[in-house]
Amino acid sequence: MNRKDVQWIRDNFMSCYCKVFVRNEESGRCHCGRHIQEHRQKVPNDEEESMAQIWSREKRIGKEPTNGLGRVLFDDDDHFASRYIRLSDDTPQDLVFKLLKNKWRVNNPGMVVSAIGSLENFIIKREVKSLIKHGIIKAVSKTKGWIITSGLDKGFVKVIGDAVHQYG
């Protein structure tokens, strides 16, 4: 990406961050779902501690110009490099489309697979997992489709990520 495109992305796309780690006693993670290492402020102050019982996205999540963008290389082969961007979940679709079509010059997909999952792993038979992985990759390959995920490395999203790594 050239500097002009990088600046355009930083001017137009925001990413989210959790302002302070507040432990969810059930999972041990923050209420936002992330680990303590992924937070700027590790210990809440007194006011934030009292708010922990009423954790809300509006009060705890901040936005800033995205710093998550670039290329991912697969198997040290530049031919299999993919662009990525971390963006806020409320980013306008037309802005994402403009990025994909006008800046990255990506062709329209024949289909889009959106994989969203929880923070928890789940038990699935090896044969079923293999069928899912092979089927998703085959369908996306034949249609020149896109796979869009939450980026989590857990649950169903991890299965999809493993499929891309294994077959993609």
Side-chain angles (χ1 to χ4, degrees):
M1 267 184 283
N2 64 46
R3 288 179 196 238
K4 187 177 175 184
D5 287 346
V6 169
Q7 190 59 51
W8 182 84
I9 289 170
R10 290 199 170 126
D11 289 344
N12 287 282
F13 290 91
M14 305 295 279
S15 63
C16 296
Y17 68 95
C18 186
K19 294 177 183 176
V20 64
F21 179 84
V22 178
R23 181 179 305 279
N24 179 329
E25 295 304 322
E26 205 172 291
S27 68
R29 295 175 182 234
C30 180
H31 290 268
C32 72
R34 295 187 175 184
H35 293 284
I36 191 169
Q37 301 91 331
E38 300 174 272
H39 288 77
R40 296 171 187 173
Q41 186 177 342
K42 310 295 188 220
V43 181
N45 63 34
D46 291 339
E47 178 186 339
E48 288 164 337
E49 187 65 46
S50 65
M51 289 173 49
Q53 300 302 322
I54 7 174
W55 193 93
S56 72
R57 179 180 173 83
E58 295 76 27
K59 292 179 182 175
R60 295 289 184 181
I61 301 296
K63 289 186 181 179
E64 63 189 0
T66 190
N67 63 354
L69 65 142
R71 293 169 54 111
V72 177
L73 295 177
F74 296 96
D75 298 326
D76 296 327
D77 185 351
D78 198 45
H79 177 71
F80 292 106
S82 294
R83 293 182 179 133
Y84 74 90
I85 180 171
R86 179 181 337 138
L87 45 81
S88 174
D89 59 350
D90 62 354
T91 302
Q93 291 177 0
D94 59 327
L95 193 57
V96 176
F97 189 77
K98 184 175 181 179
L99 170 69
L100 294 173
K101 295 299 291 178
N102 299 344
K103 300 295 182 183
W104 290 356
R105 303 204 190 304
V106 175
N107 293 328
N108 286 342
M111 72 180 282
V112 176
V113 175
S114 177
I116 301 169
S118 71
L119 292 173
E120 303 301 321
N121 283 317
F122 63 101
I123 298 170
I124 185 171
K125 290 182 181 178
R126 189 178 333 180
E127 302 82 25
V128 174
K129 186 186 290 187
S130 179
L131 284 171
I132 291 170
K133 288 163 59 173
H134 184 72
I136 291 282
I137 296 303
K138 187 174 180 179
V140 170
S141 296
K142 285 189 178 233
T143 63
K144 297 182 180 174
W146 298 348
I147 298 175
I148 299 173
T149 74
S150 61
L152 296 173
D153 195 28
K154 296 279 186 189
F156 185 70
V157 175
K158 181 175 181 1
V159 173
I160 299 300
D162 291 346
V164 170
H165 181 74
Q166 185 176 355
Y167 299 114

